[in-house]
Amino acid sequence: MTAKAASVDVTDGPAADAALSKAPRTERGKRTLRKLLDAAAAEFGERGYHEASISGITQRAGAALGTFYTYFDSKEQVFRALVDDMGRLTRQHIAERVTGTSDRLTAERLGLEAFIDFVRGHKDLYRIVMEAQFVAEDAYRNYYRVFAEAYRRNLVHASAKGEISPGHEEERAWALIGMSVFLGLRYAVWSDDRPAAEIAAAAAELITFGLSPHKGEGMS
Amino acid sequence: MTAKAASVDVTDGPAADAALSKAPRTERGKRTLRKLLDAAAAEFGERGYHEASISGITQRAGAALGTFYTYFDSKEQVFRALVDDMGRLTRQHIAERVTGTSDRLTAERLGLEAFIDFVRGHKDLYRIVMEAQFVAEDAYRNYYRVFAEAYRRNLVHASAKGEISPGHEEERAWALIGMSVFLGLRYAVWSDDRPAAEIAAAAAELITFGLSPHKGEGMS
DNA sequence: CCGAAACCTGAGTCAATATTCAACTTCAGA
DNA sequence: TCTGAAGTTGAATATTGACTCAGGTTTCGG
């Protein structure tokens, strides 16, 4: 829990949306910002957005209250930065574990397994994403919009290649994301004692064949 | 939006957990409690738990601030009452639209359609359920635990009758719930211009046959 | 070694609101 | 009409916590 958290590019990069004038200019500054970011992830992850306090963040970071405002404009701004970062991290982690996989059906299984593993290792950041629905709804919608769009593209592609049956790819994408999210919630956030591979295998069978009686499957 | 809301049994019944000494004893009292409950559903649904204020609730209800505490012990207590109520309402609504259906696969489609319709008609209450994850986590877990357990039982039953292939029913239950929740979020809460039946049909095909190429399906 | 820019500090300001409470009103039964 | 239980009222209390700011301290190029 309370994973190493954010890998928000402290210097610049696609994450540095709102940083602007608040970007650190010295080594010391970068270190402090990093500490604040990690502390914020831990504080928000453990206590939730509203219970979390800026003073809690700065205490964890070993800094003074005012220092927070050297790097961020508001409580909500850090929160949003963490949500965006989580999206980037998640996609990257899944992509790494799926690339090289030729067919979509296998990719589905590996992707889900990777997702569950990732959530298990980043419970605090994952909670932040979920809570974003109520704290920064646009950030939350965007998080899943990006996922769904990429997912849909993969499905269209796989369908064209005949790897999967043609269907309504957008609805499929959202349905599959929902599956992952709830399996992640149940088997990663709420309890993580079952092997991720088992969960992924069970779900993969559902995703592949559906519920209809089909021959060949073993009993149980 | 802001549906007629809670049907919390104002008098007694399975919902009256915490009411106890706070239950109204006269007609006037029942009316006031009803107004407060509806107002609370609207306030929480529109503004979210933390933005919502007791004074906002009493204003909507056309009552004085103090009146709230005649019927509730705290802000969180009303919130929990609404979450529990939502679970009861949802299960009831879906059950009504599914009973009489003989086979599970048809029930899946009708159930999802009913769920989407229900969410569309109770956006404010539905938001309350989702936010419960961060305000009253035990109530949230319970909400889905009850769903998942009932779902699993249905699957086991259907599997025994040969209506569906045997599989890991618990994981399946959670996966299917996740599907519904996200399709509901995307096509009911965020946008509700597509017919619920269309969404349900698309998802039902995925649930029934999975993604694997199977013969018989038309294109697109 | 200097001086200015960059950083850091934490007490104090300020607004918001959950909850309390003592006084007041309504109303049914005697 | 009288009485008390039930219900209503809203000003007052108490707490909490985001954000400000007027100084100190550290860093670093020259």
Side-chain angles (χ1 to χ4, degrees):
Chain A
M1 216 149 295
T2 303
K4 215 32 194 316
S7 76
V8 172
D9 191 333
V10 175
T11 51
D12 209 322
D17 324 305
L20 289 168
S21 65
K22 301 258 186 178
R25 280 142 213 271
T26 70
E27 267 314 314
R28 181 167 64 134
K30 281 186 195 173
R31 257 187 333 250
T32 304
L33 173 54
R34 161 93 283 122
K35 282 194 296 180
L36 284 171
L37 242 8
D38 289 347
E43 175 83 0
F44 283 133
E46 273 175 36
R47 319 225 300 153
Y49 183 79
H50 295 281
E51 288 296 308
S53 69
I54 306 297
S55 83
I57 292 172
T58 51
Q59 270 175 250
R60 283 173 197 259
L65 218 194
T67 302
F68 177 89
Y69 293 92
T70 302
Y71 299 104
F72 304 103
D73 292 323
S74 68
K75 187 180 180 181
E76 192 177 319
Q77 195 209 318
V78 221
F79 189 82
R80 285 174 180 275
L82 291 171
V83 173
D84 289 344
D85 193 47
M86 182 66 174
R88 234 170 288 122
L89 284 178
T90 311
R91 286 193 296 279
Q92 182 188 314
H93 180 84
I94 294 177
E96 271 171 17
R97 300 251 304 244
V98 166
T99 42
T101 308
S102 50
D103 71 302
R104 185 93 286 260
L105 262 16
T106 305
E108 286 301 325
R109 183 169 50 76
L110 293 181
L112 177 53
E113 192 180 327
F115 177 73
I116 291 177
D117 277 338
F118 186 72
V119 172
R120 285 184 177 176
H122 297 78
K123 287 181 186 172
D124 51 354
L125 273 177
Y126 190 57
R127 176 177 176 161
I128 290 172
V129 170
M130 295 189 292
E131 194 167 13
Q133 188 174 6
F134 305 99
V135 173
E137 210 200 330
D138 54 325
Y140 181 81
R141 287 199 193 200
N142 190 58
Y143 178 91
Y144 283 113
R145 199 176 44 66
V146 171
F147 261 82
E149 187 41 39
Y151 219 136
R152 196 188 61 75
R153 258 199 308 278
N154 287 339
L155 291 175
V156 168
H157 187 65
S159 166
K161 291 211 297 176
E163 286 175 14
I164 64 172
S165 67
H168 300 80
E169 314 304 358
E170 186 185 299
E171 287 85 340
R172 279 177 166 179
W174 283 94
L176 293 169
I177 288 176
M179 268 192 175
S180 298
V181 169
F182 261 65
L183 290 172
L185 183 65
R186 170 65 184 76
Y187 296 105
V189 178
W190 288 353
S191 151
D192 60 4
D193 43 16
R194 299 266 311 276
E198 260 180 35
I199 309 298
E205 206 210 298
L206 174 61
I207 293 174
T208 306
F209 300 110
L211 292 175
S212 73
H214 52 279
K215 39 240 102 188
E217 292 313 306
M219 53 229 37
S220 163
Chain B
M1 218 150 297
T2 302
K4 212 33 191 313
S7 76
V8 172
D9 190 333
V10 175
T11 51
D12 209 322
D17 324 305
L20 288 167
S21 64
K22 301 256 185 178
R25 280 138 213 268
T26 70
E27 268 313 316
R28 181 166 61 135
K30 281 187 196 174
R31 263 195 320 264
T32 304
L33 174 54
R34 162 92 283 124
K35 281 194 296 180
L36 283 172
L37 242 8
D38 289 348
E43 174 83 0
F44 283 133
E46 273 176 35
R47 319 222 304 153
Y49 183 79
H50 294 280
E51 289 296 309
S53 69
I54 307 298
S55 84
I57 292 172
T58 52
Q59 269 175 250
R60 284 174 196 258
L65 221 197
T67 302
F68 177 88
Y69 292 92
T70 301
Y71 298 104
F72 303 102
D73 292 322
S74 67
K75 185 180 180 181
E76 192 178 319
Q77 195 209 319
V78 221
F79 189 81
R80 284 175 180 276
L82 292 171
V83 173
D84 289 344
D85 193 49
M86 180 67 175
R88 234 169 289 123
L89 285 179
T90 311
R91 285 193 297 279
Q92 182 189 315
H93 180 85
I94 294 177
E96 272 171 17
R97 300 250 305 242
V98 166
T99 42
T101 308
S102 51
D103 71 302
R104 185 93 287 260
L105 261 17
T106 305
E108 286 300 326
R109 181 169 52 74
L110 292 180
L112 176 54
E113 191 179 326
F115 178 73
I116 291 177
D117 277 339
F118 186 72
V119 173
R120 285 183 177 176
H122 297 77
K123 286 181 186 172
D124 50 355
L125 273 179
Y126 190 57
R127 175 176 176 163
I128 290 172
V129 171
M130 295 189 292
E131 192 166 14
Q133 188 173 7
F134 306 98
V135 172
E137 210 199 331
D138 54 323
Y140 181 82
R141 287 200 193 198
N142 190 57
Y143 178 92
Y144 283 113
R145 199 177 44 67
V146 171
F147 262 81
E149 187 41 38
Y151 218 135
R152 196 188 61 76
R153 258 199 307 279
N154 287 338
L155 291 174
V156 168
H157 187 65
S159 167
K161 292 211 296 176
E163 286 175 16
I164 64 172
S165 66
H168 300 81
E169 314 305 359
E170 187 184 298
E171 288 85 340
R172 279 177 166 178
W174 284 93
L176 292 170
I177 288 176
M179 268 191 175
S180 298
V181 169
F182 262 64
L183 289 172
L185 183 65
R186 171 63 183 79
Y187 296 105
V189 178
W190 289 353
S191 151
D192 60 3
D193 43 15
R194 298 264 313 274
E198 261 180 37
I199 309 298
E205 206 210 297
L206 174 62
I207 293 174
T208 306
F209 300 109
L211 292 175
S212 73
H214 52 280
K215 39 239 104 192
E217 293 312 305
M219 49 228 39
S220 168

